[in-house]
Amino acid sequence: GAGVSQSPRYKVAKRGQDVALRCDPISGHVSLFWYQQALGQGPEFLTYFQNEAQLDKSGLPSDRFFAERPEGSVSTLKIQRTQQEDSAVYLCASTPVEGANTEAFFGQGTRLTVV
Amino acid sequence: QQQVKQSPQSLIVQKGGISIINCAYENTAFDYFPWYQQFPGKGPALLIAIRPDVSEKKEGRFTISFNKSAKQFSLHIMDSQPGDSATYFCAARGAGGTSYGKLTFGQGTILTVHP
C-alpha cells in the first residue's frame, strides 16, 4: 500500500489479556516509531527502530510493553497483561531515513480499549 | 515532563476568520517544528513545518511564525473554512545524538470553524 497500515483498527481486550498490534510501514522506510495517544492528548513517543534494531525504548511505560521489527519492515507492539490505563490509540509512523529532515508518515492507529 | 506546551485547548472561529494556535518549547536541541492536522479516526498528517533558522513559512492559507529567542512558534490559518475543523498538534523534533528524530507533541487544539 501507499501509506502506513496498522491493524487491527480497533481492539477490545479484557484486563489481563495480552494484545499484539501490527504496523506495516511504507516500503523501504528505514525508521519506524510507535507513539501512544491518550484520549484528548498529543501522541507520546514509545519506541524507535532503525531497520531491525530497536535503538530507543525509553518511552515504553512498563516492562509489559514489548516491540519488535525482526526483518526491518513490519513491526509488532505487544502489551502483556493489559491494564485499563493502557487504553489509548497506538500510532505507528515511518520515515525514509534516520534523523533527516523528512516527513514522518503516520498510520491511522489502533484504538485499544481495555475493559 | 511537558516540553512542548500548546494553547488554546479549543478554538471556535467563523468561516473566513483567522485561527491562531500557539506553542512554546523548552528544549533548545529541537531542529524541526512541524504542525500536524488530525481528523477523528485518522492518524496525524503533516500540514506545514519550519526549521529554526527561518522566522516565517507560508503555504497557501497556512503560516508558521517562529521566534527562536522566545522559543515560541504559532500556526495561523487564514480564511478558515469548515473543512479545517480538526485537531491541530504542534511538535518538535529532537536533533542528533540519541534523539533519532522522535517527535514531542503539544497537547492539541480542537478547532471548530462555523459556516
Side-chain angles (χ1 to χ4, degrees), chain A residues 9 33 35 37 40-45 48 55-56 58 91 98-104 106-109, chain B residues 2 31-32 36 38 41-46 51 89 93 97-108:
Chain A
R9 288 292 316 281
F33 299 83
Y35 291 85
Q37 186 175 21
Q41 300 295 316
E44 292 193 357
F45 171 80
Y48 165 70
L55 299 185
D56 188 349
S58 63
L91 294 164
E98 183 265 331
N101 185 13
T102 58
E103 176 182 353
F106 282 83
Q108 295 192 79
Chain B
Q2 185 63 50
D31 71 345
Y32 178 70
Y36 283 86
Q38 186 175 32
K42 302 293 186 181
L46 180 68
R51 294 179 66 87
F89 293 97
R93 189 183 70 184
T98 59
S99 300
Y100 306 117
K102 64 186 175 186
L103 295 167
T104 300
F105 285 85
Q107 301 95 318

Side-chain angles (χ1 to χ4, degrees), chain A residues 1-7 9 22-27 29 31-38 41-48 89-96 102-110, chain B residues 32-39 41-49 87-93 100-106:
Chain A
V4 177
S5 178
Q6 292 187 245
S7 60
R9 288 292 316 281
R22 177 185 170 105
C23 172
D24 280 87
I26 294 173
S27 178
H29 277 199
S31 296
L32 186 146
F33 299 83
W34 283 97
Y35 291 85
Q36 180 189 58
Q37 186 175 21
Q41 300 295 316
E44 292 193 357
F45 171 80
L46 292 177
T47 187
Y48 165 70
V89 174
Y90 291 85
L91 294 164
C92 176
S94 68
T95 67
T102 58
E103 176 182 353
F105 294 86
F106 282 83
Q108 295 192 79
T110 294
Chain B
Y32 178 70
F33 299 86
W35 284 88
Y36 283 86
Q37 181 187 56
Q38 186 175 32
F39 292 103
K42 302 293 186 181
L46 180 68
L47 190 63
I48 186 172
T87 301
Y88 292 81
F89 293 97
C90 63
R93 189 183 70 184
Y100 306 117
K102 64 186 175 186
L103 295 167
T104 300
F105 285 85

